[in-house]
Amino acid sequence: MRTWIYNIGCLACVDNHGKLRLQGKEMAHLECLENAWMIVENERIAGFGTMADWHMAQGQMGTASGRMDVEVDAQGGCVLPCWCDPHTHIVYAGSREGEFVDKIRGLSYAEIAQRGGGILNSADRLHHASEEQLYVEAMERVHEMMRKGTGCIEIKSGYGLNTADELKMLRVIKRMKESLPVRIVSTFLGAHAVGRGYSQSDYVDLVIREMIPEVGREGLADYIDVFCDKGFFTPEETARILEAGAKWGMRPKIHADELASSGGVVVGVAHHALSVDHLESMADAQIETLRGSATMPTALPGTSFFLNMPFAPARKMIDAGLGVAVASDYNPGSTPSGDMKFVVSLACIKMRLLPEEAIQAATLNAAYAMGLSEEYGSIAAGKVANFFITKPIPSIEYIPYAYTTPLIKRLFLRGKEWTI
Ligand code: NIG
Ligand code: FE
């Protein structure tokens, strides 16, 4: 099937260089083609150009016969690659607005966790929910994320905290992978908190000796995560868990330096993590740890906003020449939102990223942070055709500026329109 999209006011994130990630100054160069067209063949982008050279392109691309199965008038709107969200926890049961109120009354995230709230609260609820119920709830969340333009999502386990419930979560993620046009990758996060009834060391042993081999045997996880932070898992425990995961081909994407500068970035980079995420308490010294590595620092500005805590030093990292990705962290405790447009706005407003930098942090660099940037995250010939068309807007900067206005008119996933 061949689809022609024409009258595109601005085709954004055009990528003719095949870069897998953008770093430092590169992040501010967002390539746009004005007054453009794009052709999609089946699931993939086949070509693009400006309306002025359409007739020449038609000849070159063998489309002189003019045969198009679908013609889409973008009516002057912008076309952007779908948002990529490389850090979420969207498989969970119920909600935790009680803790939201506790926080307003002055309790900290760590205090709530210590009282048996937080992650353990969600683990209790998940234990009593059926696989079907979890699937239905998570699908509702994904559909909302799709309507807001997200086309690739990483989903973590980590509310099971015993072997059976961790497997239950991962099977739900697998079913979502198989049933959605959105690209989903899964991450095993057994070490999110110590499960009820276990000592710290028994739980770490359980993760290493039982959970990882079972997850590995069933092929349920692409990546492995550990909440390496003060009060959760130490860098030494993290290293042991990551080594066990590596034996099953699970590359790390870890929670690091959220609550304290706790060694998470160092252990992540040492274990070739694809990403280190959160970083709200990251020390400047870690910029040097990250330099020259393949690890993508990933900021979660929605979490800082919702928890009213410091933001990751993303501006500093970009100024130091690093790449940065952003993600929603959608979860019931610290960020009950998967709105990547709002994340992009927060990255601009609170972390001082330029709109171009924030958009690339949420597209190509976000795709990189989930191992998908060869196929997703920009407008490039051969990439999967996951994109959206906006209403006519004055500029790309308008996207984060209009921070609560819905701008998406049409959404295409794997080359097919998905009705929003
Ligand atoms: O990424 N920081 C650790 N985990 C989650 C929060 C999970 C929860 O509170 O349920 C996060 O913010
Ligand atoms: Fe998280």
Side-chain angles (χ1 to χ4, degrees), residues 87 89 96 109 119 159 192 227 255 258 278 329 331 333-334:
H87 182 138
H89 310 245
R96 299 199 337 237
Y109 182 58
I119 296 165
Y159 291 124
H192 196 194
F227 188 6
H255 283 70
E258 175 185 2
H278 272 287
D329 196 21
N331 75 74
S334 63

Side-chain angles (χ1 to χ4, degrees), residues 335-381:
T335 336
S337 163
D339 185 339
M340 285 297 285
K341 175 172 169 286
F342 184 53
V343 166
V344 168
S345 294
L346 285 175
C348 295
I349 299 162
K350 294 295 199 176
M351 303 196 308
R352 312 318 287 167
L353 266 57
L354 294 168
E356 292 84 353
E357 292 171 326
I359 289 169
Q360 310 220 76
T363 51
L364 189 67
N365 281 3
Y368 178 93
M370 55 205 298
L372 297 179
S373 62
E374 274 181 28
E375 295 207 287
Y376 296 87
S378 61
I379 301 293

Side-chain angles (χ1 to χ4, degrees), residues 247-264:
K247 290 190 188 133
W248 291 92
M250 298 175 210
R251 196 169 166 194
K253 275 177 67 58
I254 68 169
H255 283 70
D257 290 0
E258 175 185 2
L259 308 171
S261 180
S262 48

Side-chain angles (χ1 to χ4, degrees), residues 118-128 158-161 165:
I119 296 165
L120 292 183
N121 181 350
S122 283
D124 293 341
R125 288 168 192 259
L126 185 127
H127 180 68
H128 293 107
Y159 291 124
L161 309 184
D165 289 339

Side-chain angles (χ1 to χ4, degrees), residues 2 39 54-68:
R2 180 180 283 164
I39 288 184
W54 169 239
H55 289 294
M56 198 178 70
Q58 255 183 324
Q60 281 170 3
M61 294 186 61
T63 55
S65 65
R67 196 185 69 77
M68 293 290 164

